[in-house]
Amino acid sequence: MKGTLRYLAGIAGPNGFGSRSTAEQVTQRSFFPCSHLTAIITGGTSGIGAETARVLAKRGVRVVMAVRDMKKAEMVKERILRENPEADVKLFEIDLSSLSSVARFCSQFLSQDLPLNILINNAGVFSPDLEFSEEKIELTFATNFLGHYLLTEMLIEKMIDTAEKSGIEGRIINLSSVIHSWVKPDCFSFPKLLHPISRYNGTRAYAHSKLATILHAKALSKQLKDRNANVTINAVHPGIVKTGIIRAHKGLFTDSLFLIASKLLKSISQGAATTCYVALSNETKGLSGKYFADCNETESSDLANDESVAFKLCTHSHALIHDYLHQSQIHSLPNLCLM
């Protein structure tokens, strides 16, 4: 209740920003010369991702958009360049639900010999019906978590190397959601995440995938600290924004949400603010394994903070991906990180 009242009142948090802050406002004071930075953003063709790409490009960051729809990406790029003709925006194709597509994207990006300072795992889907990826994995989990897990694993050495050479902290941001707190411990099982055996529920699958993104941040943060790597990883809740994912929710949940809590909906620029804040703010330097909402660090669920659950998730994910890549005879990969 206190959080809701704070949101409705637009009360700022300890850092002066809050639910009503926009992405442009929170990036006015960046913590280093953004013109030296390269950021990958997945799913940047609409909504929060497109706004994140626009604002980072406006601040001078070289933006690499990893997208499924290249035509839409070209339109976003054109809009960015109209606003800022000096912007450096590169487009690469990727399907986060496909492990082979993720591996192909990473190979293409790494062949460009570009630095990598920021990785924003933004892309996400909500599937109301049970669907499977080309690897026969439940589509929501495959896209929202597993594809981003592989992406991060394949690019982490590049990020560590960039941070070492530049002296600039690397940052990974996983897009999560407050809905992660709906997941109960006895319902979170890796085999069931891959292949649901009981009656499928799209909202539950989405919540599971968003819990997994926080657990990933917790687990990888520990490993990076153990390696003394100058790279951080955090998870963010953008808020409730009327994007394609929200519109995909049908039935009582969405109808009630829009009817009762319409004033809680953020604009797209407000929804992108927390991502941009964590990516560029000096105040988040050195913070890793944390969870942010409304541009401030906040608490995630007890399950999201369970290190043993995070360890199991990443161990199982590593094994699954390693087996798939071996079977696919994809050998030109860095050593995958194992917890």
Side-chain angles (χ1 to χ4, degrees), residues 36-53:
H36 295 168
L37 305 181
T38 298
I40 291 177
I41 304 172
T42 65
T45 56
S46 63
I48 294 170
E51 176 67 0
T52 300

Side-chain angles (χ1 to χ4, degrees), residues 7 13-14 21 45 54 96 119 124 131 146 153 158 175 185 195 197 224 227 248 267 286 302 313 333:
Y7 183 96
S21 300
T45 56
R54 182 190 74 83
L96 268 300
L119 173 60
E131 300 179 77
L146 203 58
E153 293 290 276
K158 167 61 74 171
L175 270 286
H195 310 106
I197 56 177
L224 290 168
R227 292 183 58 178
S267 68
D302 289 341
L313 173 67
L333 298 178

Side-chain angles (χ1 to χ4, degrees), residues 51 188 226 233 246 318:
E51 176 67 0
F188 195 71
D226 289 344
I233 178 169
I246 291 295
H318 173 88

